Amino acid sequence: MILEVYRNNAWVDFSGLATSLRWRLESRSLESLEAEILDYVNVGERVRLRRGSTILFEGVVYEVSRRHQRGDIPRCSFTAHSDLILYERHVVFREYPTGTTAGAIIRDLASLEQGVDVAEVSEGPALTSNWSIENVEALKVMQDIAKATNHWLRMRPGKKLVYKPKTTSSPSASIDMGKILSAEYSEDRWRLRNRVVYVGAGGEVLADVYTGLGDLPLVVHDPFLTDSSEAMRRAQTRLDMASEYGRSLRLQMHQQIFSNLGLDLGDTVTVNLPSLGIDNEDLYILEIRYETDALLYEVVLGGRLELLEDVLDEKFGGDPAARFGKQMSVAEAAGNAIALSQSIAKRFTTQLIPQLFLTMYVPPIPYASGQNITYNDAGEIVLASGFTSGWFTLEFMPSSENVEPKILRFDRDVGGGNVTVNLKLGDGSTIKNNITSPYNFPYIPQRKTLAEKDASKWSISGGTLSDSSISVISRYSLRSTGTTAMTLTYPATGSLAWNLSQCRYFNIYVFPTANATITVRALTNTANYYSAQITTSAGKFQKYVKKLSDFVATGTPSWSNINQLQVILPSGTYYIDFDHVFTAITFEKLVVEVNMSRPNASSTSPKFKRATLFWSEVTQP
């Protein structure tokens, strides 16, 4: 190994003056070279490390420490980083429109330094919204993009910038005990994840990705996220990142063997170490370290155990997958914090921050009842031998009245036949037949509508209607007051075109100042509507639930075509709030009925592999 310093327009050999040298190449930090020499270097000088004619490292001296003890030779310790560190001195202001790829942004920022080769910069994902960058170091932007998109970011010698996906590729080498000096394998399932779920604004599940059984979920809540495609990108990134956690294989290899293998950061190798329980597994290289004192390389493959800095980085820096694209500003964060504190101080409002819960059925799937079915070797449900049809049921029961089902996902393989899935309630009534995965339970409309400063969208006869901060679901409710009977109609203009054919319940929150019986109507048009009466109690907000089967039809209305909603109130003052107005289920058993068939007994049986039901927390007054 030859250490050189660029001085007086030439590379000067300092190898004979070096007492120690360590070259470190890692996936999560800048490439570095640490050395101690019996001479001196200055901050900003260029250094490089080469083996023969092959340049392994080239960069800039970043830190220097000099010391001299009496009776000893002056010594200088320094740390150099690759030329990527040069972007730390550039503070940028940029505007990138929707559709700009991560690679295009990397190339644009790379142009801040002259002579940078960007041939190895891949495109990566594209922005789903405009991104404004103000007063941020270019290096931080580039590192955030790499982390958020799960890509390698590195500056090779010769100013060759690399931005490529962290994915396994065809193995470039194989490693066994004959090629290493020592091996240490560690595994910690604490951070191992094979499923990532993103919950966005209003508690909506925007993305759910998994590998294998998907039985080790990570749930990420982002109350400002509404774009499902962006949520899917983040979820896939977090799932890919999870492969770097939970297991770590640390190898020590002699310098000559490592050089002969020609390994580099990000390369995939086949590892066969049966004594450690690793049998011909393909793992990729995450770290490389070289120590001149021992003339050996230390290589880390396959993942790493979570370090404290990783924990702190996410705790204080937020979701790492959200660092590519528009982020919530400090002003927005402060505004939301102020709004939350104000709502608590008013003591009238419960601020709803939905939490997500999962019920999972994985092999062997514990079905409630069934006929002509059995388990295969993987624990999946299949048709029993000799049968051409069969069925089974899965039952889900909410843990409390404070949760509601949101999304049902299931995996099936029709094989040589067919699989149909029907959704029912515990009383045998059908919500919907022949559903597909994912099935989103109908909640109409979405949370925080109809009453969230929406008084202007209603019309009223016989009184006045205004927005009020006395509420139970969100931050506002409707305040209706009048000396005669009042009729509230939503929307004041236009039509809803709601299809409520899968809904079974009507929900409303009412706070009357006196006991009263109110009437609610669901209108197809003014001559054809459903109506029901609700008796309310004075003095507090209370949730009232009415079965749609109890509504009385006038004319020929249709639940599949509801265009207006009316609330008819006696004289007085009322506060009205809404969560989901029309729902398919309340606190009751949910049954998933699975029917399997095949044309003849010799055909390949269908398989049912798994089912997951996502529950969301709801507000109770």
Side-chain angles (χ1 to χ4, degrees):
M1 290 289 188
I2 300 173
L3 173 66
E4 296 177 317
V5 178
Y6 193 73
R7 190 170 288 175
N8 298 323
N9 298 319
W11 288 104
V12 181
D13 189 349
F14 272 59
S15 304
L17 301 172
T19 59
S20 67
L21 185 146
R22 173 185 291 180
W23 170 43
R24 183 161 54 191
L25 186 58
E26 300 180 0
S27 64
R28 60 188 177 88
S29 59
L30 287 175
E31 184 177 358
S32 65
L33 180 69
E34 300 172 359
E36 182 185 76
I37 59 175
L38 303 178
D39 203 320
Y40 74 93
V41 293
N42 297 312
V43 171
E45 283 193 299
R46 298 189 61 78
V47 297
R48 73 181 185 185
L49 180 69
R50 63 182 175 90
R51 183 177 59 239
S53 60
T54 302
I55 300 174
L56 302 176
F57 172 87
E58 183 177 351
V60 181
V61 175
Y62 192 72
E63 296 177 354
V64 169
S65 174
R66 302 188 183 101
R67 67 181 186 277
H68 187 192
Q69 294 181 341
R70 187 168 59 184
D72 192 12
I73 299 174
R75 299 171 184 268
C76 175
S77 299
F78 69 87
T79 299
H81 291 296
S82 71
D83 285 326
L84 202 58
I85 195 67
L86 297 175
Y87 291 98
E88 188 180 52
R89 64 189 182 186
H90 296 282
V91 177
V92 297
F93 295 79
R94 290 288 196 276
E95 289 281 348
Y96 296 110
T98 301
T100 306
T101 64
I105 298 174
I106 294 289
R107 287 191 292 271
D108 176 54
L109 297 176
S111 65
L112 295 170
E113 288 288 327
Q114 294 184 352
V116 177
D117 184 347
V118 294
E120 293 186 76
V121 175
S122 62
E123 290 301 331
L127 291 173
T128 57
S129 61
N130 294 339
W131 188 15
S132 176
I133 302 173
E134 299 180 359
N135 199 30
V136 182
E137 294 172 355
L139 177 60
K140 184 180 186 309
V141 177
M142 297 167 81
Q143 289 178 317
D144 281 350
I145 291 174
K147 189 172 186 67
T149 58
N150 202 39
H151 277 53
W152 304 103
L153 180 67
R154 180 188 176 193
M155 185 75 82
R156 297 185 192 273
K159 288 192 174 182
K160 296 180 179 180
L161 185 62
V162 177
Y163 171 76
K164 66 177 183 178
K166 287 184 180 180
T167 55
T168 54
S169 55
S170 299
S172 59
S174 61
I175 294 177
D176 54 28
M177 281 302 298
K179 297 178 181 178
I180 62 175
L181 300 174
S182 66
E184 178 183 346
Y185 179 71
S186 302
E187 186 170 331
D188 184 351
R189 293 179 67 85
W190 177 48
R191 287 290 289 179
L192 188 61
R193 296 288 185 265
N194 57 17
R195 186 183 208 122
V196 179
V197 180
Y198 264 76
V199 183
E204 297 301 313
V205 177
L206 298 178
D208 174 24
V209 297
Y210 60 87
T211 59
L213 292 177
D215 56 343
L216 298 170
L218 168 67
V219 181
V220 182
H221 293 267
D222 187 339
F224 305 98
L225 183 61
T226 58
D227 189 327
S228 59
S229 60
E230 172 64 11
M232 185 63 70
R233 182 198 68 78
R234 295 187 192 180
Q236 188 60 57
T237 297
R238 292 299 295 266
L239 187 64
D240 293 339
M241 291 169 63
S243 65
E244 290 192 31
Y245 291 104
R247 58 196 309 228
S248 177
L249 177 63
R250 191 176 299 272
L251 307 176
Q252 285 190 335
M253 308 173 65
H254 191 275
Q255 171 186 325
Q256 189 60 48
I257 293 177
F258 181 89
S259 301
N260 291 340
L261 292 175
L263 300 178
D264 197 2
L265 187 72
D267 284 353
T268 300
V269 297
T270 300
V271 181
N272 185 30
L273 298 173
S275 60
L276 299 182
I278 303 175
D279 297 317
N280 291 313
E281 289 192 45
D282 290 342
L283 306 174
Y284 61 80
I285 298 175
L286 291 171
E287 295 181 18
I288 298 174
R289 298 183 184 183
Y290 174 72
E291 302 276 356
T292 56
D293 297 345
L295 296 178
L296 58 82
Y297 279 87
E298 185 174 87
V299 183
V300 178
L301 305 95
R304 54 190 168 84
L305 303 183
E306 186 175 46
L307 303 177
L308 177 60
E309 54 262 39
D310 298 318
V311 177
L312 296 178
D313 180 54
E314 182 163 350
K315 292 296 183 184
F316 293 103
D319 178 11
R323 300 179 190 180
F324 172 58
K326 182 180 179 181
Q327 302 175 32
M328 183 175 60
S329 68
V330 174
E332 289 173 322
N336 280 286
I338 293 171
L340 178 59
S341 64
Q342 288 176 341
S343 67
I344 293 173
K346 290 177 181 178
R347 304 180 67 87
F348 287 109
T349 299
T350 300
Q351 183 73 20
L352 177 63
I353 305 176
Q355 299 296 314
L356 192 72
F357 308 91
L358 285 77
T359 301
M360 302 178 65
Y361 283 115
V362 296
I365 299 173
Y367 58 89
S369 59
Q371 184 176 341
N372 302 339
I373 57 169
T374 187
Y375 292 119
N376 63 13
D377 292 340
E380 301 161 337
I381 297 179
V382 297
L383 288 172
S385 177
F387 290 96
T388 58
S389 64
W391 61 270
F392 65 92
T393 61
L394 304 176
E395 295 183 351
F396 298 86
M397 188 67 191
S399 58
S400 73
E401 295 185 14
N402 295 342
V403 297
E404 60 188 13
K406 300 294 289 185
I407 297 177
L408 174 67
R409 294 181 182 270
F410 51 87
D411 284 355
R412 58 184 174 179
D413 182 350
V414 298
N418 189 38
V419 179
T420 60
V421 180
N422 303 323
L423 195 59
K424 299 184 175 183
L425 294 176
D427 61 7
S429 58
T430 299
I431 296 178
K432 188 177 182 181
N433 287 325
N434 198 19
I435 64 173
T436 58
S437 179
Y439 174 79
N440 293 277
F441 286 83
Y443 291 95
I444 301 173
Q446 295 299 314
R447 279 196 171 102
K448 297 185 179 180
T449 55
L450 302 189
E452 186 69 1
K453 274 199 168 182
D454 290 315
S456 61
K457 299 177 183 178
W458 292 71
S459 66
I460 184 172
S461 62
T464 59
L465 187 66
S466 60
D467 297 307
S468 172
S469 60
I470 300 176
S471 60
V472 66
I473 292 300
S474 49
R475 294 175 58 194
Y476 296 92
S477 69
L478 300 175
R479 182 180 185 274
S480 178
T481 183
T483 56
T484 62
M486 297 165 282
T487 299
L488 284 61
T489 303
Y490 181 88
T493 59
S495 59
L496 297 170
W498 283 347
N499 182 356
L500 307 178
S501 58
Q502 296 179 51
C503 296
R504 291 170 50 88
Y505 299 97
F506 171 84
N507 306 270
I508 190 172
Y509 293 82
V510 184
F511 179 176
T513 55
N515 295 343
T517 298
I518 69 173
T519 300
V520 293
R521 290 178 179 175
L523 293 80
T524 296
N525 53 49
T526 55
N528 301 281
Y529 56 85
Y530 299 98
S531 63
Q533 291 188 329
I534 299 173
T535 301
T536 62
S537 300
K540 65 177 181 179
F541 262 114
Q542 188 168 329
K543 182 179 182 180
Y544 299 93
V545 180
K546 199 77 172 178
K547 287 186 176 181
L548 298 192
S549 59
D550 292 337
F551 278 62
V552 177
T554 297
T556 57
S558 172
W559 284 118
S560 61
N561 183 27
I562 297 300
N563 294 301
Q564 282 186 313
L565 179 66
Q566 285 186 340
V567 181
I568 302 173
L569 308 169
S571 61
T573 299
Y574 302 82
Y575 297 92
I576 302 173
D577 207 349
F578 298 96
D579 190 3
H580 301 301
V581 182
F582 295 96
T583 60
I585 190 171
T586 182
F587 182 58
E588 55 191 321
K589 183 190 297 183
L590 183 68
V591 178
V592 177
E593 179 188 83
V594 182
N595 296 281
M596 310 172 74
S597 64
R598 54 184 169 181
N600 54 68
S602 61
S603 298
T604 302
S605 172
K607 294 185 290 188
F608 193 87
K609 299 181 177 182
R610 64 176 62 83
T612 303
L613 182 61
F614 296 85
W615 307 85
S616 179
E617 189 178 45
V618 297
T619 296
Q620 295 295 318

